[in-house]
Structure formats: structure tokens, C-alpha cells
């Protein structure tokens, strides 16, 4: 047989490994082989493998969103693992065109390969080469220590939306993508509370809890309090069940009313895109030290740290851009003290953990992520890390 049989030529490879390990600890290499970007039509019943991703939730006509994918629809071939003697494990990764993908009848080259260990401490990478095209890919860095790490590093997207508010795809699709294609450790669906009925909120909590697997994939119950006049806050709950707080409900339509309603709850409230003219945060209304433990510094909107004229290389451009007085530095100059900062997606295009849909855009940026320091991967540990500023 030839060394590789390809349906289409790869354009790249995505590879993810853990960020923190000890010497000799087994780990997995997660790989996607990439191709051209294609739009996935919103068909309900796909009849070919190429359209298997199709679904009635793949389009958002009101916002002009259409779901896109950049993984090859089919591919058979071998990736070579290029590493020195510090890496123990397979030296080739095989895609057979059948035992790959992330769901039934999925022939895309997405696969997790086990059996790797680093034999020496230090910073390391894993390099993959596709020998036919010559394409090379380098993983994220991993720090390997002689002893068991006190803190592990877990990566996630704490901010994305579904078809239930103003995004693409259903909650199940999004969580499955975040774990199996975005290769995230944790993910948090934060649909706009004002768009959700009570039954929909219960359903979303059920889905979030179903996808939670301690040690493998963490989810938090959350939603977005969407107040257009004084700023949005994502509410993250430590428990697996919580009330819903809508900004168009007179009981919760101001920050002060919201804070009173949240008393007694294990919850953090994180403001985001704070510097935006249209939907930014009015810091003049105050800051709640109990609940506003963190602020989302960055997302596809850009960075709210400081104004472009003060050195921000990724300022907010959408929805009339940024406004002075609303940046995070302005809040800190008022004496507000957040425990920490997070990065998020504010992802609306169905790909938590992947910035494909936002690359090359003039009014948005590649999405952000949050890394948390935690002793192990669990819902409670992710929540505590955000609340305590270990991000």
C-alpha cells in the first residue's frame, strides 16, 4: 500500500497535550487534521458523510451566522512523531479513515492517541509531521516536573452561546465540540437569561450536568445577565442547580437588585466587554466585592484592559467601539480589586475552543481562553480557581 491515501490534501494539523505533568506520567495526544474551511448547510437529515454535521441549528438568519468547519471530511494517512529520547511512546499516529471522528459515521481525522510519557523534567513539546505534504505541527508547551504537581493547569472557554439565545447549535452539540474537537478541559455555556424560558433553563442545566465528568471534562451551570444599560454579567454557580436571574425581570433589573437576590448563593458574577460603547460596564455604578470576583479581560470582542491610544493592540471595534472610563484599568483606578482575570470566547458560532469563525475579521478577534490552576479537574475546583484568582 502507499504510505498515505488521502481524499484531500491536509492544510494543517492541530495538536493538544496537557500543560502540566510529572516525569513518567502517561498522557494522551489529541489531534485534528485540517483542510479548507467549508460552510455546513443547515439540513436536518444529511444524506452524505460530507454533510453529517448538518443540523437545523447550524444557521442564525437574524445575525447572518452559518456554521463552518475546517477539519478534512475524510483522510487516511500517517503522522510522524518527531521527538528525542525525552519522549516515550508511539513514533507514528495512524488514521485509517474508519476508527476516527467524534460521533457515529464521522470520518473526519480527529483522534486521541494514548501511551506517551516524558522521561525527563523541563519544558517540552510534541512535534508532528505529515510526510506527504511536509506539514509540521507543534503542540502547546508542557512543563514536566520530577514530583507530583501541586497545581495542574486546565484550559477552558467559560463563555459561549447556543441557539437558545443568539448563537449556533444546541447545548449538546456545543459541549461535545468543546470536549472532543476543541480539546478543552472545561467549558461553560452562558446563554442570555432573558431568552430562556423556565423549562429551557432546566433543560440547559440538565445538559450541563450530563456532560460533567470529574477528572475528564468540567462544566458549570451559568447564564448571562444581559443588562444593556449598565453592563452584562455572566453568573457562574458552584452547584449543579440554580435559579435564573433575568435583567428584564423587575426583581433583578439593576445591579443592586441583582446583588441582593444573589445573597446566600455560591456564585461569581463576571462582567465582560466592559469598554464597549453600546454594551459596556458603567463602573460609576459601583463594584460588588462579594460577587464580582473576576472580570473577563478578553474575548472575540477584543481586550478591555485599556484604550487603544494607551497601548491596547486588540481594542474593541464592534458596536461603536470602545469608550474611555469603561476599561478594566479605570475600574482598578477607582479602587476596585478583582481577585483575578479571565479570557473567554463570547462564542456565538458553534465552536467553543476554536477561533476559526473569527479569524481575519475586521471587527472581532480570535477568541480567548481561561487557564485555571487546580489540584484536579472538577467543577468545584474550576469555580474556586476563578473565585480565588488562580487563573
Amino acid at each position: 500500500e502507499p504510505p498515505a491515501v488521502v481524499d484531500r490534501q491536509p492544510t494543517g494539523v492541530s495538536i493538544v497535550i496537557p500543560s502540566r505533568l510529572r516525569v513518567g506520567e502517561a498522557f494522551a495526544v489529541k489531534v485534528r487534521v485540517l483542510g479548507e474551511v467549508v460552510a455546513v448547510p443547515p439540513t436536518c437529515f444529511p444524506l452524505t458523510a460530507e454533510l453529517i454535521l448538518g443540523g437545523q441549528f447550524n444557521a442564525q438568519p437574524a445575525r447572518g451566522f452559518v456554521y463552518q468547519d475546517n477539519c478534512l471530511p475524510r483522510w487516511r494517512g500517517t503522522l510522524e512523531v518527531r521527538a528525542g529520547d525525552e519522549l516515550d511512546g508511539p513514533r507514528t499516529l495512524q488514521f485509517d479513515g474508519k476508527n476516527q471522528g467524534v460521533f457515529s459515521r464521522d470520518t473526519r481525522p480527529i483522534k486521541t492517541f494514548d501511551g506517551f510519557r516524558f522521561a525527563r523534567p523541563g519544558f517540552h513539546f510534541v512535534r508532528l509531521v505529515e510526510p506527504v505534504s511536509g506539514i509540521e505541527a507543534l503542540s502547546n508547551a508542557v512543563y514536566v516536573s520530577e514530583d507530583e504537581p501541586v497545581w495542574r493547569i486546565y484550559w477552558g472557554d467559560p463563555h459561549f452561546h447556543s441557539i437558545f439565545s443568539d448563537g449556533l447549535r444546541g447545548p449538546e452539540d456545543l459541549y461535545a465540540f468543546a470536549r472532543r474537537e476543541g480539546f478543552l478541559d472545561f467549558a461553560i455555556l452562558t446563554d442570555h437569561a432573558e431568552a430562556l424560558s423556565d423549562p429551557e433553563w432546566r433543560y440547559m442545566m440538565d445538559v450541563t450536568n450530563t456532560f460533567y465528568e470529574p477528572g475528564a471534562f468540567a462544566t458549570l451551570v451559568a447564564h448571562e445577565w444581559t443588562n444593556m444599560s449598565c453592563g452584562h454579567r455572566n453568573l457562574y454557580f458552584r452547584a449543579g442547580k440554580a435559579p435564573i436571574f433575568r435583567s428584564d425581570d423587575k426583581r433583578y433589573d439593576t445591579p443592586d437588585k441583582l446583588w441582593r437576590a444573589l445573597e446566600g448563593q455560591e456564585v461569581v458574577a463576571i462582567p465582560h466587554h466592559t469598554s464597549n460603547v453600546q454594551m459596556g460596564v458603567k463602573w460609576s455604578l459601583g463594584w460588588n466585592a462579594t460577587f464580582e470576583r473576576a472580570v473577563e479581560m478578553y474575548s472575540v470582542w477584543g481586550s478591555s484592559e485599556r484604550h487603544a491610544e494607551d497601548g491596547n493592540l486588540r481594542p474593541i471595534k464592534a458596536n461603536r467601539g470602545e469608550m474611555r472610563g469603561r476599561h478594566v484599568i479605570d475600574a482598578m483606578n477607582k479602587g476596585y480589586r478583582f481577585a483575578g482575570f479571565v479570557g473567554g470566547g463570547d462564542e456565538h458560532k458553534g465552536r467553543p475552543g476554536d477561533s476559526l469563525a473569527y479569524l481575519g475579521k475586521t471587527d472581532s478577534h480570535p477568541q480567548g481562553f481561561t487557564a485555571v490552576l487546580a489540584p484536579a479537574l472538577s467543577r468545584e475546583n474550576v469555580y474556586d480557581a476563578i473565585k480565588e484568582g488562580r487563573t
Side-chain angles (χ1 to χ4, degrees), residues 191-197 224-227 244-248:
D191 263 326
H192 299 282
E194 298 72 23
L196 303 175
S197 66
E224 182 170 341
W225 182 81
T226 320
N227 189 304
I244 187 169
F245 300 93
R246 304 178 181 91
S247 69
D248 56 3

Side-chain angles (χ1 to χ4, degrees), residues 201 205-206 208-209 219-221 237-242 379-380:
W201 173 236
M205 287 192 291
D206 285 344
T208 295
N209 290 324
T219 62
L220 270 68
V221 167
F237 299 89
R238 197 172 191 269
K241 185 178 181 180
R379 166 179 291 170
E380 294 79 11

Side-chain angles (χ1 to χ4, degrees), residues 110-360:
I110 306 173
K111 196 169 181 178
T112 296
F113 299 88
D114 296 310
F116 292 89
R117 291 174 172 84
F118 282 107
R120 293 201 301 269
F123 285 99
H124 300 290
F125 301 85
V126 172
R127 184 184 300 275
L128 299 181
V129 177
E130 200 284 300
V132 176
S133 64
I135 288 173
E136 295 189 9
L138 195 66
S139 74
N140 55 286
V142 54
Y143 179 64
V144 182
S145 58
E146 291 278 10
D147 302 321
E148 184 75 16
V150 175
W151 300 110
R152 300 281 178 161
I153 301 174
Y154 300 107
W155 293 89
D157 185 345
H159 187 182
F160 54 91
H161 298 272
S162 81
I163 193 70
F164 279 79
S165 58
D166 58 348
L168 298 183
R169 316 195 84 190
E172 292 93 341
D173 294 326
L174 295 171
Y175 278 127
F177 183 98
R179 178 176 181 177
R180 300 170 188 166
E181 299 189 46
F183 299 149
L184 296 178
D185 300 309
F186 67 91
I188 308 174
L189 176 60
T190 55
D191 263 326
H192 299 282
E194 298 72 23
L196 303 175
S197 66
D198 288 342
E200 288 170 340
W201 173 236
R202 290 192 294 270
Y203 162 72
M204 291 180 63
M205 287 192 291
D206 285 344
V207 174
T208 295
N209 290 324
T210 296
F211 274 85
Y212 175 40
E213 185 179 341
F217 186 66
T219 62
L220 270 68
V221 167
H223 61 69
E224 182 170 341
W225 182 81
T226 320
N227 189 304
M228 300 296 287
S229 63
C230 57
H232 302 188
R233 270 79 170 176
N234 285 345
L235 305 182
Y236 300 91
F237 299 89
R238 197 172 191 269
K241 185 178 181 180
I244 187 169
F245 300 93
R246 304 178 181 91
S247 69
D248 56 3
D249 185 324
K250 291 185 178 180
R251 295 174 295 174
Y252 323 120
D253 61 357
T254 69
D256 285 341
K257 290 181 182 179
L258 178 65
W259 308 143
R260 287 195 292 270
L262 293 179
E263 290 179 4
Q265 298 275 339
E266 281 268 29
V267 57
V268 292
I270 299 184
H272 55 275
H273 51 54
T274 68
S275 63
N276 183 239
V277 171
Q278 189 167 320
M279 291 182 280
V281 174
K282 294 181 179 178
W283 297 120
S284 59
L285 297 178
W287 164 68
N288 189 289
T290 300
F291 300 115
E292 291 184 293
R293 300 289 296 168
V295 60
E296 186 179 280
M297 184 78 81
Y298 178 86
S299 69
V300 297
W301 288 76
S303 172
S304 284
E305 180 187 4
R306 61 184 65 239
H307 197 278
E309 295 173 358
D310 300 326
N312 185 353
L313 300 181
R314 292 186 174 182
I316 291 178
K317 298 179 181 178
N319 290 61
R320 296 166 56 195
E322 59 179 349
M323 177 185 290
R324 284 198 175 275
R326 293 188 175 183
H327 293 82
V328 175
I329 193 68
D330 299 312
M332 298 184 74
N333 285 336
K334 285 181 173 290
Y336 304 165
R337 289 296 178 262
F338 304 99
F341 307 103
V342 299
D346 204 353
E347 220 286 324
H348 288 72
K349 299 185 181 181
R351 301 182 66 87
D354 186 275
S355 60
L356 167 69
Y358 296 90
L359 295 177

